[in-house]
Amino acid sequence: QRNGIQCLLCAALPLSPGNIGNLFGTSESDGKILQRSKRGWMWNQFFLLEEYTGNDHQYVGKLHSNMDKNDGNVKYVLTGDGAGTLFLIDEKSGDIHATKRLDREEKAMYTLHAKVLDRNTNAELEPDTEFNIKIHDINDNAPKFAKEIYFASVPEMSEVGTSVVTVTATDADDQTYGNSAKLVYSILQGQPYFSVDSENGTIKTALPGMDRELKENYQVVIQAKDMAGQMGGLSGTTTVSITLSDVNDSPPRFANLTAVESTDIGGAIGRIKADDPDVGHNAEMEYSIVGGHDIFNIITDQTTQEGVIIIKKALDYESKRDYEFRVEVKNTYLDARFIHGLQFKDYATVKVTVEDVDEPPVFTRNPYIIEVHEDTAAGSFVGVVSARDPDADNKPVKYSIDRHTDLERLFNIDSVNGTITTLKALDREMSKWHNISVVATEINNPRQTTRVPVFIKVLDVNDNAPEFAMSYDTFVCENVKAGQLIQTISAVDTDEPLVGHKFVFSISATNPNFTIVDREDNTANILTRRGGFSRREMSMYFLPVVISDNDYPIQSSTSTLIVRVCACDSRGNMQSCNPEVLPFSDGLTTGALVAILLCVIILLMIVVLFAALRRQRKKEPLIISKEDVRDNVVSYNDEGGGEEDTQAFDIGTLRNPEVMDANKLRRDIIPEMLFPFRRTSPIKDNTDVRDFINGRLQENDSDPTAPPYDSLATYAYEGSGSLAESLSSLESAATEGDQDYDYLSNWGPQFKKLAEMYIGKSPDRET
């Protein structure tokens, strides 16, 4: 604020005298009104909106000095209320931000000081200037009354507009800014008896002739709303308990009796007593109603000698509210000496006023019985129930179904008019009656409810076809004659027609075996059309029987009757119906068939045993002749294996390697080389090994117990060009006796076991 001008744009404009001059057109020749002071390098007041809810720090304003050339040599420093905690300043730009939400009701204004320093020398470039940050108010406080409950009184029969009490609410928002604290009073409860002044909260009477004897206490709810009562304002309420004080507005009268209309029959509504100065039995009295009464009666309390008025018939406030009758009282025991000239009885007039009570709704009928056809679609009309409020004000009633009585949710009811409709299709065969409870509830008083049972009868519709009454076990004898009765059938229908069931039975007219005769009494006879049935030809017949009813629409179904063919005696008694025991035409009996079957089984077992023994016979050895030379190559995997190593390979079959040309590669083994290098064997004339391998190959190919592949080990010859020549004795011209193995003993302990095998052995022993 400068010279009476308040800047409301401080949070959006740089606050330098130069900018202010540009904003308002200030110059040295403009006069004194907008002349800049040398020390006034900034505005002395900023405005900040309270309860700011932004995520980032709220921008407050900007400090700027003419000494700041935007070269980074100027530093702005902020001190004072909340500096460094609530308010932060950018040392370079001079921007001020608030770090959190501020509440004007806690503190409305903050006083701070700003300095402009040289960043290099910390020397002050501008004098220390004081400025204020004022918090702008928002409507964040609701009006509050001093008390939650006020108590007041006003004389009964007061004139309209009589002041009762003034209630005042306060609002913590700014009273001088906007409408945040401008309150408007209104009455929420207590009309039409009282009203309230909208500006000052004064409660006044609004209804003439309020009688304390009729109603003494009133509860009035007053609301105070800010924002001048406009939409969106905040509000607060208080309750005022107003009591009508008594005034002398009623003359003395004899006591009247009051009775609540809900009093049970036989209940007492009041007592009256006559005064008798006598004592003992001389003071005993008897009360009675003169001429009797339809509604009331009076009995005598022998202990207190009072007359107790009781109800003979239920009271109804809406029908009659006031009753008047005369009561007579007289002594029970009279003294004849004093009867003359005195009346030992008296009379009094009794007035009874009936008081109204809030009664629950009353249905027009109890119970309801409604009929509906079973083919009624979902959403169809079923019936209507109706209830009314018996009270004088006749409050509206709403309807509902107690879902505990309609667990399947088959029905629905309109809450306004009581119309009952179906939610699902009904089936009489599932349930003939549905018993539900309809609840009527006063809308203004949900505690006043009444239940009524509604019995819904589902009427039958012919929607089920007849069927067999039972499962029939029917048979026909092989020696039966045509036209013979074999079964009597009947039918049932789950429907219930009004005139009773009438079934019609029929079968196909082209059936050559059986026929049917309708007996016209809902039964039918199954007769044979021919004779001479045979179990060998057909042991069982399936007879379709069509059954129809006579209701509308006609329903029919086809049930199948199973007729078995059985062997019977001469009297028609069933003996056997099993087709497996039938004799053949050639005269073979069951025993003969069993014997034949056993013989076949024994022969099959002999054939299987012979085949197994043949597969287990000894096979011919590889080399039969002793003249054939056979070497055993013993493989030693480690030092000292010797005789304990039995992994030997028989290479007797390799005397003619050309036999391998006829073999094929195994399907389950992938060869390491597609085209293995093979040397031409120096021996080509040995055909015995080739013939032997081919013979064994054919034998194994024809053997069903042999594996599905051949295992063949391939051995290649070292070749004639080797300097060591062949190490095998197969090509050696010397015999076993010419071999001298003594040199093996000189090869060291590693060959000891080998030397023992060849030195000192018999010549005829196989090596």
Side-chain angles (χ1 to χ4, degrees):
Q1 183 176 358
R2 184 172 299 279
N3 295 331
I5 299 176
Q6 184 175 4
C7 177
L8 300 180
L9 303 174
C10 299
L13 296 175
L15 302 180
S16 64
N19 288 342
I20 298 301
N22 295 333
L23 180 64
F24 293 100
T26 305
S27 64
E28 294 181 358
S29 62
D30 288 338
K32 297 181 180 180
I33 295 179
L34 297 177
Q35 185 176 0
R36 186 183 68 181
S37 173
K38 289 184 179 181
R39 66 180 303 274
W41 59 276
M42 59 166 289
W43 294 103
N44 66 348
Q45 185 165 270
F46 295 97
F47 295 94
L48 181 64
L49 191 65
E50 70 167 332
E51 298 294 335
Y52 175 73
T53 58
N55 296 327
D56 300 330
H57 292 173
Q58 183 180 7
Y59 179 75
V60 178
K62 184 180 183 66
L63 303 182
H64 188 73
S65 173
N66 288 344
M67 304 299 296
D68 189 356
K69 305 302 182 182
N70 295 325
D71 54 2
N73 294 327
V74 173
K75 180 173 69 174
Y76 296 93
V77 180
L78 191 66
T79 60
D81 293 344
T85 56
L86 295 179
F87 303 100
L88 300 177
I89 188 171
D90 191 321
E91 294 181 353
K92 295 182 179 181
S93 64
D95 293 336
I96 302 175
H97 292 83
T99 61
K100 67 176 184 179
R101 299 169 60 179
L102 302 177
D103 190 358
R104 189 202 66 84
E105 285 70 40
E106 294 182 2
K107 191 170 183 178
M109 187 173 64
Y110 295 85
T111 302
L112 296 97
H113 294 80
K115 294 181 180 181
V116 181
L117 304 178
D118 189 293
R119 183 176 297 277
N120 299 322
T121 63
N122 284 334
E124 291 189 4
L125 302 179
E126 293 278 3
D128 186 349
T129 302
E130 178 182 294
F131 66 97
N132 298 325
I133 297 179
K134 185 176 181 182
I135 309 302
H136 265 308
D137 183 48
I138 64 172
N139 188 24
D140 59 343
N141 291 276
K144 293 184 179 180
F145 288 92
K147 300 179 182 179
E148 293 184 0
I149 300 178
Y150 289 84
F151 295 93
S153 63
V154 64
E156 62 175 335
M157 299 296 177
S158 296
E159 296 181 358
V160 176
T162 302
S163 178
V164 180
V165 67
T166 299
V167 293
T168 304
T170 58
D171 195 325
D173 292 323
D174 192 353
Q175 302 285 337
T176 62
Y177 178 75
N179 294 328
S180 297
K182 187 175 182 180
L183 305 182
V184 173
Y185 298 91
S186 60
I187 183 169
L188 300 182
Q189 178 181 324
Q191 295 174 332
Y193 306 102
F194 300 94
S195 63
V196 64
D197 191 300
S198 61
E199 296 182 358
N200 55 28
T202 300
I203 301 175
K204 301 177 181 180
T205 59
L207 195 66
M210 288 191 293
D211 192 355
R212 185 195 66 83
E213 286 73 29
L214 296 179
K215 187 174 183 180
E216 184 176 4
N217 296 313
Y218 297 86
Q219 298 293 324
V220 180
V221 178
I222 302 297
Q223 180 192 67
K225 189 174 184 179
D226 59 15
M227 297 298 293
Q230 299 177 5
M231 184 179 298
L234 304 178
S235 63
T237 60
T238 187
T239 302
V240 183
S241 179
I242 301 177
T243 303
L244 297 182
S245 59
D246 185 45
V247 297
N248 191 9
D249 60 341
S250 300
R253 299 179 184 276
F254 287 106
N256 292 336
L257 300 180
T258 59
V260 180
E261 66 172 330
S262 60
T263 304
D264 296 333
I265 296 176
I269 63 172
R271 291 169 177 257
I272 60 175
K273 184 176 182 180
D275 185 20
D276 190 341
D278 295 325
V279 295
H281 69 279
N282 295 323
E284 293 180 0
M285 295 172 286
E286 183 179 6
Y287 297 87
S288 62
I289 296 177
V290 178
H293 202 277
D294 297 335
I295 306 298
F296 302 98
N297 191 18
I298 188 170
I299 59 176
T300 304
D301 187 341
Q302 299 297 334
T303 303
T304 61
Q305 295 301 308
E306 293 176 330
V308 181
I309 299 176
I310 61 175
I311 295 177
K312 295 169 55 179
K313 189 177 180 181
L315 303 175
D316 187 6
Y317 174 83
E318 289 71 29
S319 300
K320 189 174 183 180
R321 305 179 183 182
D322 298 301
Y323 295 90
E324 183 176 339
F325 51 86
R326 286 173 58 83
V327 175
E328 178 187 76
V329 60
K330 60 182 179 180
N331 285 122
T332 305
Y333 302 100
L334 299 177
D335 192 334
R337 294 174 298 172
F338 304 104
I339 292 177
H340 303 286
L342 295 176
Q343 290 186 353
F344 286 84
K345 56 184 178 181
D346 197 5
Y347 299 91
T349 301
V350 178
K351 294 182 179 181
V352 179
T353 302
V354 180
E355 293 184 352
D356 186 28
V357 295
D358 191 2
E359 298 175 284
V362 177
F363 282 94
T364 56
R365 285 190 292 167
N366 190 0
Y368 286 86
I369 300 178
I370 303 174
E371 295 181 348
V372 60
H373 286 88
E374 66 173 325
D375 60 348
T376 302
S380 300
F381 173 80
V382 176
V384 179
V385 298
S386 179
R388 65 174 184 85
D389 182 12
D391 297 321
D393 49 5
N394 192 17
K395 298 176 182 178
V397 175
K398 65 177 182 179
Y399 303 92
S400 62
I401 295 178
D402 185 355
R403 289 304 174 186
H404 292 89
T405 62
D406 185 22
L407 297 177
E408 297 180 0
R409 301 186 69 87
L410 298 175
F411 303 97
N412 189 29
I413 189 170
D414 191 296
S415 60
V416 178
N417 55 31
T419 300
I420 301 176
T421 56
T422 58
L423 289 175
K424 300 178 182 178
L426 305 178
D427 188 359
R428 190 200 65 86
E429 285 69 39
M430 296 295 295
S431 180
K432 299 180 181 180
W433 287 88
H434 297 279
N435 304 330
I436 63 175
S437 293
V438 175
V439 182
T441 306
E442 289 185 10
I443 295 179
N444 297 336
N445 187 4
R447 292 177 296 180
Q448 294 295 340
T449 61
T450 303
R451 294 172 176 267
V452 65
V454 179
F455 304 114
I456 301 175
K457 182 180 181 181
V458 182
L459 300 179
D460 183 45
V461 174
N462 190 32
D463 57 348
N464 291 276
E467 57 186 10
F468 279 158
M470 58 181 294
S471 178
Y472 294 100
D473 184 11
T474 306
F475 70 94
V476 60
C477 296
E478 288 183 306
N479 55 356
V480 71
K481 297 179 180 180
Q484 185 169 344
L485 174 65
I486 62 171
Q487 184 68 59
T488 299
I489 59 174
S490 61
V492 293
D493 193 341
T494 54
D495 294 322
E496 290 184 359
L498 298 177
V499 296
H501 290 294
K502 176 61 179 177
F503 301 129
V504 178
F505 301 87
S506 63
I507 61 175
S508 176
T510 59
N511 192 302
N513 302 310
F514 305 97
T515 184
I516 190 169
V517 176
D518 196 334
R519 301 177 60 182
E520 304 295 334
D521 60 352
N522 293 336
T523 62
N525 293 335
I526 304 298
L527 306 177
T528 58
R529 186 182 289 271
R530 66 180 179 86
F533 289 87
S534 175
R535 282 182 292 169
R536 287 194 302 273
E537 296 177 359
M538 181 72 69
S539 62
M540 190 177 299
Y541 291 89
F542 297 94
L543 181 63
V545 179
V546 179
I547 310 175
S548 304
D549 56 22
N550 65 337
D551 206 348
Y552 180 81
I554 295 177
Q555 300 287 341
S556 63
S557 66
T558 301
S559 299
T560 301
L561 182 67
I562 300 175
V563 182
R564 297 182 298 156
V565 180
C566 301
C568 304
D569 57 15
S570 58
R571 297 181 180 179
N573 298 323
M574 180 181 64
Q575 291 182 339
S576 175
C577 295
N578 191 356
E580 283 77 9
V581 299
L582 294 176
F584 288 97
S585 60
D586 56 0
L588 293 178
T589 62
T590 304
L593 291 175
V594 173
I596 294 173
L597 182 60
L598 289 176
C599 291
V600 172
I601 293 175
I602 293 173
L603 290 176
L604 290 176
M605 291 177 62
I606 292 174
V607 172
V608 172
L609 181 60
F610 178 76
L613 293 177
R614 184 177 180 183
R615 284 196 301 269
Q616 294 178 0
R617 72 182 185 278
K618 280 191 175 182
K619 294 184 179 181
E620 184 180 357
L622 180 63
I623 300 176
I624 301 176
S625 176
K626 294 183 179 180
E627 296 178 357
D628 291 334
V629 181
R630 178 180 178 184
D631 288 350
N632 286 335
V633 179
V634 181
S635 175
Y636 297 94
N637 295 327
D638 55 354
E639 182 180 356
E643 295 177 350
E644 296 177 0
D645 195 335
T646 60
Q647 296 182 1
F649 295 91
D650 186 0
I651 62 173
T653 59
L654 301 179
R655 299 185 61 178
N656 189 359
E658 293 181 351
V659 74
M660 294 184 297
D661 295 339
N663 293 321
K664 297 181 180 180
L665 294 176
R666 286 175 53 184
R667 296 182 180 179
D668 58 334
I669 297 179
I670 300 176
E672 297 180 358
M673 297 177 59
L674 294 177
F675 305 98
F677 176 77
R678 296 172 53 190
R679 262 180 214 278
T680 303
S681 174
I683 302 174
K684 298 183 179 180
D685 298 331
N686 296 326
T687 61
D688 54 341
V689 176
R690 180 176 56 206
D691 296 338
F692 175 77
I693 292 178
N694 289 332
R696 287 300 177 90
L697 177 61
Q698 295 177 1
E699 181 180 350
N700 282 276
D701 288 341
S702 61
D703 188 358
T705 61
Y709 55 85
D710 296 327
S711 179
L712 180 64
T714 304
Y715 296 87
Y717 284 94
E718 189 174 355
S720 59
S722 175
L723 296 177
E725 298 181 349
S726 176
L727 297 179
S728 175
S729 61
L730 296 177
E731 298 177 349
S732 177
T735 61
E736 284 185 302
D738 297 333
Q739 297 292 334
D740 186 9
Y741 299 104
D742 293 338
Y743 62 92
L744 295 176
S745 60
N746 298 326
W747 286 7
Q750 294 86 348
F751 298 90
K752 181 180 178 180
K753 182 66 67 176
L754 185 61
E756 291 176 357
M757 294 174 60
Y758 288 91
I759 298 175
K761 292 191 176 182
S762 176
D764 57 349
R765 183 174 180 181
E766 188 176 2
T767 302

